[in-house]
Amino acid sequence: MTAPRPSLSALEQHTPFAARHIGPGPGDRAKMLAQAGFGSLDELTAAAVPEAIRTDGPLRLPEARDEAAVLAELRSLAARNTVLHPMIGLGYHGTFTPPVIQRNVLENPAWYTAYTPYQPEISQGRLEALLTFQTVVADLTGLPTAGASLLDEATAAAEAMALSRRVAKGRGPVFLVDADCLPQTVAVVRTRAEPTGVEVRVADLSGGIPEDAAERGIFGVLLQYPGASGAVRDPRPVVERAHELGAVVTVAADLLALTLLTPPGELGADIAVGTSQRFGVPLGFGGPHAGYLSVRAAYARNLPGRLVGVSRDAAGRPAYRLALQTREQHIRREKATSNICTAQVLLAVIAAMYAVYHGPSGLAAIARRTHRYAALLAAGLREGGAEVVHGAWFDTLTVRVPARAAAVVAAAREAGINLRLTDADHVGIACDETTTRDRIAAVWRAFGVPGTDDLDALDVRTPDALPPALLREDAYLTHPVFHEHRSETAMLRYLRRLADRDYALDRGMIPLGSCTMKLNATAEMAAITWPEFAGLHPFAPADQAAGYLELIRELEQRLAEITGYDAVSLQPNAGSQGELAGLLAVRAYHRANGRPQRTVCLIPSSAHGTNAASAVMAGMRVVVVATGANGDVDAEDLRAKIAAHADELAVLMVTYPSTHGVFEEDIAGICAAVHEAGGQVYVDGANLNALVGLARPGRFGADVSHLNLHKTFCIPHGGGGPGVGPVAVRAHLAPYLPGHPLQPAAGPEGGGTGPVAAAPWGSAGILPISWAYLRLMGAEGLRTATQVAVLAANYVARRLEPHYPVLYTGPGGLVAHECVIDVRPLTRATGVTIEDVAKRLIDYGFHAPTMSFPVAGTLMIEPTESEDLAELDRFCDAMIAIRAEIDRVGAGEWPREDNPLVNAPHTAAQLTGEWTHPYSRREAVHPAGVAPESKYWPPVRRIDGAYGDRNLVCSCPPVADYAAD
Ligand SMILES: *Cc1c(COP(=O)(O)O)cnc(C)c1O
């Protein structure tokens, strides 16, 4: 007897995507629920999530669809974007992503699913790539110390302003900005200046520094090189005068231009900032791209953001790691001068590899070709009677066509080219790597000039338009890395070699608390490199971005539904920037209501460092609220602080569930108390993975939150960025969301507060990822994902509890979506530290959990819903085995200074030398549960961080250093 044939409609039921996204299937879930002591997911969440905050009904989201259907929907959205050739300029340029880099970095999970390289032993590949990025920036800008990326050019300029204010001798309030700076940079600088009492003065500095500004007192100057208009001016007179006045000079410079022009460092600049977008990074309607910042040697220790340095490992061999880690600004909380945390690692890697691929001569050739096209374009325009405004330029022209600018721009658009409509009388045209002879001819036609068919003859008779006094003469990018990987075979293998050194989600679990390292599904990633999404200029006319605008509107609406807020802005390009935008909205709201004195921001001591740093940047005064023994906000202290600051209270900033991984029972009461005192409530939404579909912050009392799309909503971490940190608000704060000077549609009616990112919708290019996640999961899938995330954390907590104390629990002894385990008692008893445990996990094939946050000496574990039971068990088994190893140290079986924990991680190279340890080679590298055939080998031994901080090396070291031993 054969079984009855299933019906066609039964066969048409595809496996729902949620079953792919969520690791544990029904069988696994049943086992995990049994371990946690519950009969169903609903039972568990009913016990874990406080009744008072639970949502009433299902989320109103469109029905989930399968991968094929969602990809088809994305295709039709993409088809509604029109990609014209982008000659708008303004800091965004056409570029050709070398396919070997696109496929093997941008589209390769070995790169994009990695975490920030806080565990350097398992991050050597991306650390080397970032060091290469720093070398590119340092060499091209002529300033020796460059950070490992900032969020974009405009925020980098704002960071430079803050840095200048700290280090300048000139104590005046003025930050002087040249009128030829990029308009979005000026706008972001203004946003960031206002709350901190900086006066931004925008002036035409081509004639020098205005005397009245000098008299008022200038601490910093910002120049653009070349300017937004395309003009290349010699900055030296301004630099010299600024230095006389005690001001620090920042030059925002175009990296491609710097292959031909004298670098800012050589012209006396103290700081250089900019973007590396045109080094092979797709436009993506505005981002993500890696901003850069480099400084003279004296300011190396004042850099915002992350800095990669060279140190040495336990064998004395060179190894990379994040230098001066506590200098990561946000870690210093209210003493921080920058809130930057997530940056743009993946994009910095792409830019660095673009430089490796082309080498200095290739880059210079691209720059020269770009310049020649601009020169010939100008020659043809001039011969045809048009007025090219400037005498010297690199790639961008400003052309004067009285009253005809709109007509010219329209004619170019007809020919498939976007030009910049500067004003009624001026058109901007930017050439780039992708410019061709045909496009030059099309631009001539749009201007109504004859041009020439014989471009080669025009070439012969047209001189360069680079100022002779500013031609670059020194050698740059001389390190062998920029010369050795010219063939695609060599490049492919170099990329593979780097990727192989790193541990990312494509190898195993990364149980980092607060970071939500969940699945980044391939179907979610697919659309970001489609040309219709990747090729759009951020200032392209809105009618060319209909697909993007629809996707953005839908994503905003769906995030509003999920969070219970009324309005969402997708502009902030990291969580930290969402925090700032949210706090600026609170500030603007109080001011609009006649309460400018409300500037106190209450923050629990357990908060993420960015919270306090953002509050200071938003002009607020941080008052710390104590944490009770159970990990909750200390209610009594909170009430006392509210009372003490009642008239000045601006906002309470809390993370929910708390950074201790607990659903606090009384969150609604806390919100009410703050409101009663006239304050606002900010809920840091980085932990939304514990709430989606179960509770909505906008409905349980909060006024504003930021979300991290690179945590809860599946944008991969990229090894430390990109991110998207949307800010979500209730209606009364909606008028104060960020706007944008070049794209009013990106902000609320009335314009909102100033922009917090260079591009109108921030990192629009990666929004298809989160859009796809929501579309694939639907309301039911999202809710189940949250429930399984909570289940997984409780399962891990239960399994580890007999071996390590679980520090905090909420209702019913349950944790939320993560758990904190305490290693301090073991450290006291045996000398084994959390660092030893973290490094030993590498030998077992794992990335360590979050270390010492929010409590020193603890590990915070967030398994997420995406890890299946086998992987959860493999992790728990490893942690339990490590506990047994700690006990052997405690029992004196292994000496404190020579055991598998203090010596971890172990490399393959170690095995071939003399073996003097009191444990075997097998115990070292193949401890229980590690399958030899799928072993991950760290490329270096434990890295000595202190050595690297004492001997700061932040660009590619000479190869000879590696020849040792
Ligand atoms: C990750 C995180 C942030 C900061 O987000 P970034 O995108 O890294 O700037 C803020 N708060 C909490 C609780 C976080 O976990």
Coordinates of all heavy atoms in Angstrom, one line a residue, residues 597-646:
Q597 N 15.5 75.2 30.2 CA 16.4 74.8 31.3 C 16.3 73.3 31.5 O 17.1 72.8 32.3 CB 15.9 75.5 32.6 CG 14.7 75.0 33.3 CD 13.4 75.2 32.6 OE1 13.3 75.8 31.6 NE2 12.3 74.7 33.2
R598 N 15.4 72.6 30.8 CA 15.4 71.1 31.0 C 16.5 70.4 30.2 O 16.4 70.1 29.1 CB 14.0 70.6 30.5 CG 12.9 71.0 31.5 CD 11.6 70.1 31.3 NE 10.6 70.4 32.3 CZ 10.5 69.7 33.4 NH1 11.4 68.7 33.7 NH2 9.6 70.0 34.3
T599 N 17.6 70.2 30.9 CA 18.8 69.7 30.3 C 19.4 68.5 31.0 O 20.4 68.0 30.6 CB 19.9 70.7 30.1 OG1 20.2 71.2 31.4 CG2 19.4 71.9 29.2
V600 N 18.7 68.0 32.1 CA 19.3 66.9 32.8 C 18.8 65.6 32.2 O 17.7 65.4 31.9 CB 18.9 66.9 34.3 CG1 19.2 65.6 35.0 CG2 19.6 68.1 35.0
C601 N 19.8 64.7 31.9 CA 19.5 63.4 31.4 C 19.9 62.4 32.4 O 21.0 62.2 32.8 CB 20.3 63.2 30.1 SG 20.0 61.6 29.3
L602 N 18.9 61.6 32.9 CA 19.1 60.6 33.9 C 19.5 59.3 33.1 O 18.8 58.9 32.2 CB 17.9 60.3 34.7 CG 17.3 61.5 35.6 CD1 16.1 61.1 36.3 CD2 18.4 62.0 36.5
I603 N 20.6 58.7 33.5 CA 21.0 57.5 32.9 C 21.4 56.4 33.9 O 22.3 56.7 34.8 CB 22.2 57.7 31.9 CG1 21.8 58.7 30.8 CG2 22.7 56.4 31.3 CD1 22.9 59.0 29.8
P604 N 20.9 55.2 33.9 CA 21.3 54.2 34.9 C 22.8 53.9 34.7 O 23.3 53.9 33.6 CB 20.4 53.0 34.5 CG 19.3 53.5 33.8 CD 19.8 54.8 33.1
S605 N 23.4 53.5 35.8 CA 24.9 53.2 35.7 C 25.2 52.1 34.8 O 26.3 52.0 34.2 CB 25.4 52.9 37.1 OG 24.7 51.8 37.6
S606 N 24.2 51.2 34.5 CA 24.5 50.0 33.7 C 24.4 50.4 32.2 O 24.6 49.5 31.3 CB 23.5 48.9 34.0 OG 22.1 49.4 33.7
A607 N 24.0 51.6 31.8 CA 23.8 51.9 30.4 C 25.0 51.7 29.5 O 26.1 51.8 29.9 CB 23.3 53.3 30.3
H608 N 24.7 51.5 28.2 CA 25.7 51.4 27.2 C 26.4 52.8 27.2 O 25.7 53.8 27.3 CB 25.0 51.1 25.9 CG 26.0 50.7 24.8 ND1 26.6 51.6 23.9 CD2 26.4 49.5 24.4 CE1 27.3 51.0 23.1 NE2 27.3 49.7 23.3
G609 N 27.7 52.8 26.9 CA 28.5 54.0 27.0 C 28.0 55.1 26.0 O 28.2 56.3 26.2
T610 N 27.4 54.7 24.9 CA 27.0 55.7 23.9 C 25.9 56.6 24.5 O 25.8 57.7 24.1 CB 26.4 55.0 22.6 OG1 25.5 54.0 23.0 CG2 27.5 54.3 21.8
N611 N 25.1 56.0 25.4 CA 24.0 56.8 25.9 C 24.5 58.1 26.6 O 24.0 59.2 26.2 CB 23.2 56.1 27.0 CG 22.4 54.9 26.4 OD1 21.6 54.3 27.2 ND2 22.5 54.6 25.2
A612 N 25.4 58.0 27.5 CA 25.9 59.2 28.1 C 26.7 60.1 27.2 O 26.6 61.4 27.2 CB 26.8 58.8 29.3
A613 N 27.5 59.5 26.3 CA 28.2 60.3 25.3 C 27.2 61.1 24.4 O 27.5 62.3 24.1 CB 29.1 59.4 24.4
S614 N 26.2 60.5 24.0 CA 25.2 61.1 23.1 C 24.5 62.3 23.9 O 24.2 63.3 23.3 CB 24.1 60.2 22.6 OG 24.7 59.1 21.9
A615 N 24.2 62.0 25.2 CA 23.5 63.1 26.0 C 24.4 64.3 26.0 O 23.9 65.4 25.9 CB 23.2 62.5 27.4
V616 N 25.7 64.1 26.3 CA 26.6 65.3 26.3 C 26.6 66.0 25.0 O 26.6 67.2 24.9 CB 28.0 64.8 26.7 CG1 29.0 66.0 26.6 CG2 28.0 64.3 28.2
M617 N 26.7 65.3 23.9 CA 26.7 65.9 22.6 C 25.4 66.6 22.3 O 25.3 67.6 21.5 CB 26.9 64.8 21.5 CG 28.3 64.3 21.5 SD 28.5 62.8 20.5 CE 28.0 63.4 18.9
A618 N 24.3 66.2 23.0 CA 23.0 66.9 22.8 C 22.8 68.0 23.8 O 21.7 68.6 24.0 CB 21.8 65.9 22.9
G619 N 23.9 68.4 24.4 CA 23.9 69.6 25.3 C 23.3 69.3 26.6 O 22.8 70.2 27.3
M620 N 23.2 68.0 27.0 CA 22.6 67.6 28.3 C 23.6 67.4 29.4 O 24.8 67.1 29.1 CB 21.7 66.4 28.1 CG 20.5 66.8 27.2 SD 19.4 65.4 27.0 CE 18.2 66.1 25.9
R621 N 23.1 67.4 30.6 CA 23.9 67.1 31.8 C 23.6 65.7 32.2 O 22.4 65.5 32.5 CB 23.7 68.1 32.8 CG 24.7 68.3 33.9 CD 24.7 69.7 34.4 NE 23.4 70.2 34.8 CZ 22.9 70.0 36.1 NH1 23.6 69.3 37.0 NH2 21.7 70.5 36.4
V622 N 24.5 64.8 32.4 CA 24.2 63.4 32.7 C 24.2 63.3 34.2 O 25.1 63.7 34.9 CB 25.3 62.5 32.1 CG1 25.0 61.0 32.6 CG2 25.2 62.5 30.6
V623 N 23.1 62.7 34.7 CA 23.0 62.4 36.2 C 22.8 60.8 36.2 O 21.9 60.3 35.6 CB 21.9 63.1 36.9 CG1 21.7 62.6 38.3 CG2 22.1 64.6 36.8
V624 N 23.7 60.2 36.9 CA 23.7 58.7 36.9 C 22.7 58.2 38.0 O 22.7 58.6 39.1 CB 25.1 58.1 37.1 CG1 25.1 56.6 37.2 CG2 26.0 58.6 36.0
V625 N 21.9 57.2 37.6 CA 21.0 56.6 38.5 C 21.6 55.2 38.9 O 22.0 54.5 38.0 CB 19.6 56.4 37.9 CG1 18.6 55.7 38.8 CG2 19.1 57.7 37.4
A626 N 21.5 54.9 40.2 CA 22.1 53.6 40.6 C 21.3 52.4 40.2 O 20.2 52.5 39.8 CB 22.2 53.6 42.2
T627 N 22.0 51.3 40.2 CA 21.4 50.0 39.8 C 21.3 49.2 41.1 O 22.2 49.2 41.9 CB 22.3 49.3 38.8 OG1 22.6 50.1 37.7 CG2 21.7 48.0 38.4
G628 N 20.1 48.6 41.3 CA 19.9 47.8 42.5 C 20.6 46.5 42.4 O 21.2 46.1 41.3
A629 N 20.7 45.7 43.5 CA 21.4 44.5 43.5 C 20.9 43.5 42.5 O 21.6 42.6 42.0 CB 21.4 43.9 44.9
N630 N 19.6 43.5 42.2 CA 19.0 42.6 41.3 C 19.2 43.0 39.8 O 18.7 42.3 38.9 CB 17.5 42.4 41.6 CG 16.7 43.7 41.4 OD1 17.3 44.8 41.2 ND2 15.4 43.6 41.5
G631 N 19.9 44.1 39.6 CA 20.1 44.5 38.3 C 19.1 45.6 37.8 O 19.4 46.2 36.7
D632 N 18.0 45.7 38.4 CA 17.0 46.7 38.0 C 17.5 48.1 38.3 O 18.4 48.3 39.2 CB 15.7 46.5 38.8 CG 15.0 45.3 38.2 OD1 15.5 44.6 37.3 OD2 13.8 45.0 38.7
V633 N 16.9 49.1 37.6 CA 17.1 50.5 38.0 C 16.7 50.6 39.5 O 15.6 50.1 39.9 CB 16.3 51.4 37.1 CG1 16.4 52.8 37.6 CG2 16.8 51.3 35.7
D634 N 17.5 51.3 40.3 CA 17.2 51.5 41.7 C 16.1 52.5 41.8 O 16.3 53.7 41.6 CB 18.5 51.9 42.4 CG 18.3 52.1 43.9 OD1 17.1 52.4 44.3 OD2 19.2 52.0 44.7
A635 N 14.9 52.0 42.1 CA 13.7 52.8 42.0 C 13.7 54.0 43.0 O 13.3 55.1 42.7 CB 12.4 52.0 42.3
E636 N 14.3 53.7 44.2 CA 14.4 54.8 45.2 C 15.3 55.9 44.7 O 15.0 57.1 44.8 CB 14.9 54.2 46.5 CG 14.3 54.8 47.7 CD 14.6 53.9 48.9 OE1 14.1 52.8 49.0 OE2 15.5 54.3 49.7
D637 N 16.5 55.5 44.2 CA 17.4 56.5 43.7 C 16.8 57.2 42.6 O 17.0 58.4 42.5 CB 18.7 55.8 43.3 CG 19.9 56.8 43.0 OD1 20.0 57.7 43.9 OD2 20.5 56.7 42.0
L638 N 16.1 56.5 41.7 CA 15.5 57.2 40.6 C 14.5 58.3 41.0 O 14.6 59.4 40.6 CB 14.8 56.2 39.7 CG 14.0 56.8 38.5 CD1 15.0 57.4 37.5 CD2 13.1 55.8 37.8
R639 N 13.7 57.9 42.0 CA 12.7 58.9 42.5 C 13.4 60.1 43.2 O 13.1 61.3 43.0 CB 11.7 58.3 43.5 CG 10.6 57.6 42.7 CD 9.6 56.8 43.6 NE 9.4 55.5 43.0 CZ 8.6 55.3 41.9 NH1 8.0 56.3 41.3 NH2 8.4 54.1 41.5
A640 N 14.5 59.8 43.9 CA 15.3 60.9 44.5 C 15.9 61.8 43.5 O 15.9 63.0 43.6 CB 16.4 60.3 45.4
K641 N 16.4 61.2 42.4 CA 17.1 62.0 41.4 C 16.0 62.9 40.6 O 16.3 64.0 40.2 CB 17.9 61.1 40.4 CG 19.0 60.4 41.1 CD 20.3 61.1 41.0 CE 21.3 60.7 42.1 NZ 22.0 59.4 41.9
I642 N 14.9 62.2 40.4 CA 13.8 63.0 39.7 C 13.4 64.2 40.6 O 13.3 65.3 40.1 CB 12.5 62.1 39.5 CG1 12.8 61.0 38.4 CG2 11.3 62.9 39.0 CD1 11.7 60.0 38.2
A643 N 13.3 63.9 41.9 CA 12.9 65.0 42.8 C 13.9 66.1 42.8 O 13.7 67.3 42.7 CB 12.6 64.5 44.2
A644 N 15.2 65.7 42.9 CA 16.3 66.7 43.0 C 16.4 67.5 41.7 O 16.9 68.7 41.8 CB 17.6 65.9 43.2
H645 N 16.0 67.0 40.6 CA 16.2 67.7 39.3 C 14.9 68.1 38.6 O 14.9 68.3 37.4 CB 17.1 66.9 38.4 CG 18.4 66.6 39.0 ND1 19.4 67.6 39.0 CD2 19.0 65.5 39.5 CE1 20.5 67.0 39.6 NE2 20.2 65.8 39.9
A646 N 13.8 68.0 39.4 CA 12.5 68.1 38.8 C 12.3 69.2 37.7 O 11.9 68.9 36.6 CB 11.4 68.3 39.9

